[in-house]
Amino acid sequence: MGMTEKQFNGFVRLTLDDILEVLALMKDSPEKEKLQKLADNLQKMIED
């Protein structure tokens, strides 16, 4: 059984929220930059 678009967007929002919480706790590092890139991509998915 698949997800509706609304369900998928909800999943992405929950995931993005968790990633943003982790980013706020991280010190600057290459890993933080990669995680920020992922967060940016997820945000773009929500906006499109």
Side-chain angles (χ1 to χ4, degrees):
M1 182 178 207
M3 284 187 189
T4 65
E5 185 175 343
K6 187 174 182 178
Q7 289 171 322
F8 179 73
N9 283 342
F11 171 75
V12 171
R13 287 178 195 275
L14 288 172
T15 303
L16 179 58
D17 185 54
D18 288 343
I19 290 172
L20 293 174
E21 285 182 27
V22 171
L23 280 169
L25 300 173
M26 291 180 76
K27 296 180 182 179
D28 288 339
S29 66
E31 291 83 4
K32 184 175 181 176
E33 290 178 25
K34 287 185 178 189
L35 197 55
Q36 182 63 57
K37 185 175 179 180
L38 175 61
D40 293 343
N41 287 336
L42 289 173
Q43 184 64 46
K44 288 177 187 174
M45 287 176 65
I46 293 171
E47 293 170 1
D48 287 342

